[in-house]
Amino acid sequence: MKYGFIKVAAITPTVVVADCSKNAAAIAEDMKKAAEAGVQIAVFPELCITGYTCGDLFWQESLLWGANEGLKAVQEASKAVPGLLSFVGVPVLYRQKLYNCAAAVQEGRVLAFVPKKNLNSAELRQFAPAPETNETVAWDRVQVPFGCNILLSCDTMTGLKIGAEIGDDLWVANPPSVGLAEAGASIIVNLSAGYETIGKMEYRRNLVLGQSGRLVCGYVYCNAGDGESTTDYVFAGHNMIAENSVMLSESKPFENGMIVSEVDVQRILFDRRRMNGWCNDVNGYLEVNFTLPQQEVQLTRQVDTAPFIPKNEEGLELILTMQANGLKKRLAAAYASSAVIGISGGLDSTLALLVAVRAADQLGWDRKKIMGITMPCFGTTVRTKSNAELLCDSLGIECKCIDIAESVRVHFQAIGHDESDHSVVFENGQARECTQILMDVANGCNGMVIGTGDLSELALGWATYNGDHMSMYGVNADVP
């Protein structure tokens, strides 16, 4: 839970249709494995205590009794894993109607029953859709909240609120998760039993990614797998953990088991704070408190060292194209006749030069209208200077070398600075002299000075104020 990370798991056990005691034992064993792996929230498939494909057996008193006993066994097993909140699928009889429910279980208690709201045509034969308002149901001599407008709220971690939906709830125009997220749910769990057809897996993946992005939340999707009846359908156990449109973990099809990752709740809350259009509507929603012990979370998710940089050639090409089109428009609007760039031989000026060349090509300019200026001074090496000259030559642009050492020395003498003192004055004096030359050269050829610095430099203080942070158009400004 440190730094806002919560370790979650989607677990598909191997079920035996209608054998509730065996299924409960399998779930209990998986809960133990999850706790040993440091998992704090575990999600199991839809109707996993009975099996989803029981059909008309759901009408039988013996199966419903077995489901109750199975849930009691899971409830008892949860006492041995106090740091774990589990969501398991079970049928619940309430006021002579049968509901397809997710039971939230922790430390020997059933905290809530969340019934499925959107039933498919086959399920309507046995189950009733969730009531519109929250109610309570008597379970094991305790009144337990019952309804689809319930949030599990953690009292040991601010902002950790969990909402549950079931299977087809995700596939409708207005899923329950929308209202749950608006009421504060930062993590949505989905207990599902979705069968496979050609192309459905990719569509399901897009749904989960899209919903996690639209709702700015963590989304844990757990699907039924091996053990369900294959009379009419085949179940692949396709499990996913997503966060704000990014897939954190995904199972391979037809391999029952557990996938684990960590949801960054603090980041979710931060992103929501930035969204002016984020809706907060808690009316009609019940918060049920639970506790998770404070513990270190070992990260298994990939942490990208360059999160804003595309990982494919198409994405990088788009960045360059966007930069060039912006510069092209600016040059045309300013009626500029040329572009002037200070070339150091480093990465930033190289990128700016490549952008300028592409913009010139799009404008139909002769590349000689681009002037690359290299300005050697005290710290310039032969290698750096030659890199700049070779770059200009290979691109077919004009290259001019203006040595600024003497003018910087005159400036130091004027302000009384000792040249042997390599302080910030020494460094900045060179940068400001470079900018003065670029601006004046640009004025003389009706040109624009193309900025090479980026936002990272500005944020970290590497760009000299009134020096290389100055330009007439900074093409690298939004490149991370």
Side-chain angles (χ1 to χ4, degrees):
M1 298 174 71
K2 197 171 183 181
Y3 307 119
F5 287 100
I6 288 293
K7 192 177 286 289
V8 300
I11 308 172
T12 299
T14 299
V15 302
V16 180
V17 176
D19 194 333
C20 299
S21 61
K22 279 191 177 180
N23 296 338
I27 292 168
E29 183 62 26
D30 284 335
M31 289 166 60
K32 181 180 177 182
K33 291 177 181 177
E36 290 171 350
V39 172
Q40 296 154 294
I41 300 170
V43 186
F44 292 86
E46 182 177 1
L47 295 171
C48 57
I49 286 181
T50 57
Y52 177 78
T53 52
C54 290
D56 286 351
L57 289 178
F58 282 118
W59 288 331
Q60 299 300 316
E61 186 75 25
S62 58
L63 181 64
L64 298 181
W65 178 86
N68 284 349
E69 293 302 306
L71 183 56
K72 287 179 182 178
V74 171
Q75 179 180 330
E76 183 65 24
S78 69
K79 294 178 181 178
V81 285
L84 183 69
L85 172 65
S86 300
F87 290 85
V88 296
V90 63
V92 174
L93 187 64
Y94 176 63
R95 293 184 177 174
Q96 305 306 309
K97 290 183 178 180
L98 195 59
Y99 295 89
N100 176 351
C101 291
V105 182
Q106 188 195 42
E107 296 182 0
R109 297 170 55 214
V110 174
L111 303 179
F113 289 110
V114 180
K116 188 172 184 176
K117 186 173 184 179
N118 300 281
L119 303 170
N120 61 46
S121 56
E123 292 169 346
L124 284 169
R125 179 173 169 85
Q126 293 96 19
F127 296 99
E132 291 299 321
T133 58
N134 293 326
E135 302 179 29
T136 59
V137 60
W139 163 256
D140 200 24
R141 299 185 297 278
V142 176
Q143 293 295 318
V144 177
F146 175 90
C148 57
N149 299 329
I150 293 175
L151 295 174
L152 281 297
S153 179
C154 182
D155 54 20
T156 49
M157 182 176 180
T158 303
L160 176 57
K161 300 179 190 295
I162 307 166
E165 60 186 5
I166 302 175
D168 297 84
D169 282 339
L170 174 62
W171 297 67
V172 299
N174 186 27
S177 52
V178 173
L180 291 166
E182 289 178 341
S186 50
I187 295 178
I188 302 293
V189 301
N190 187 315
L191 293 69
S192 185
Y195 59 87
E196 297 307 323
T197 58
I198 297 299
K200 188 175 182 182
M201 197 170 292
E202 183 64 27
Y203 188 79
R204 183 189 295 122
R205 181 184 296 110
N206 290 337
L207 272 180
V208 169
L209 287 173
Q211 196 70 346
S212 71
R214 288 175 60 224
L215 303 184
V216 193
C217 70
Y219 201 102
V220 185
Y221 185 95
C222 187
N223 208 356
D226 189 26
E228 291 289 355
S229 170
T230 58
T231 302
D232 298 306
Y233 305 113
V234 172
F235 298 85
H238 184 204
N239 297 339
M240 292 168 281
I241 301 172
E243 176 190 289
N244 201 358
S245 77
V246 174
M247 188 65 72
L248 301 180
S249 184
E250 183 175 10
S251 66
K252 294 181 179 179
F254 302 103
E255 291 186 10
N256 283 15
M258 175 171 66
I259 61 170
V260 177
S261 192
E262 299 77 36
V263 174
D264 189 347
V265 175
Q266 282 189 6
R267 180 190 173 187
I268 289 167
L269 298 178
F270 172 78
D271 286 343
R272 287 180 176 180
R273 286 196 298 271
R274 293 192 307 159
M275 298 173 64
N276 291 333
W278 183 259
C279 176
N280 291 285
D281 184 6
V282 298
N283 291 328
Y285 286 86
L286 172 69
E287 289 196 13
V288 177
N289 290 332
F290 71 99
T291 299
L292 287 178
Q294 296 284 349
Q295 67 183 58
E296 290 282 346
V297 174
Q298 189 70 33
L299 292 185
T300 61
R301 62 186 281 176
Q302 181 181 4
V303 179
D304 196 344
T305 56
F308 307 109
I309 306 298
K311 301 301 181 288
N312 54 61
E313 188 175 333
E314 292 78 11
L316 296 172
E317 173 68 24
L318 179 59
I319 290 177
L320 195 58
T321 301
M322 291 169 68
Q323 290 178 275
N325 275 272
L327 177 57
K328 168 191 167 185
K329 174 65 176 178
R330 186 61 178 166
L331 289 168
Y335 298 99
S337 303
S338 63
V340 178
I341 305 177
I343 306 297
S344 67
L347 288 174
D348 289 335
S349 62
T350 299
L351 176 59
L353 181 57
L354 293 173
V355 170
V357 167
R358 180 173 289 205
D361 290 346
Q362 291 178 355
L363 287 167
W365 280 11
D366 184 335
R367 288 189 180 183
K368 293 297 183 182
K369 287 189 173 185
I370 301 175
M371 184 182 297
I373 301 180
T374 176
M375 292 165 280
C377 195
F378 310 127
T380 305
T381 65
V382 174
R383 179 174 178 271
T384 299
K385 181 182 176 184
S386 63
N387 281 347
E389 291 171 342
L390 287 170
L391 182 63
C392 293
D393 184 60
S394 66
L395 292 171
I397 71 166
E398 183 178 351
C399 183
K400 181 179 288 189
C401 179
I402 302 175
D403 194 309
I404 65 170
E406 189 57 37
S407 59
V408 173
R409 283 195 177 97
V410 171
H411 173 64
F412 285 165
Q413 290 170 6
I415 65 173
H417 180 74
D418 187 347
E419 188 180 321
S420 64
D421 177 8
H422 291 184
S423 63
V424 68
V425 177
F426 179 84
E427 297 292 341
N428 287 348
Q430 298 176 71
R432 293 189 176 111
E433 180 62 21
C434 288
T435 301
Q436 175 179 254
I437 288 174
L438 292 172
M439 292 288 184
D440 289 342
V441 169
N443 288 160
C445 62
N446 189 35
M448 288 179 57
V449 176
I450 309 305
T452 61
D454 60 38
L455 289 181
S456 298
E457 292 182 313
L458 296 177
L460 297 172
W462 291 342
T464 300
Y465 185 71
N466 206 35
D468 51 338
H469 98 295
M470 298 286 290
S471 69
M472 297 166 183
Y473 195 78
V475 292
N476 289 347
D478 290 326
V479 178

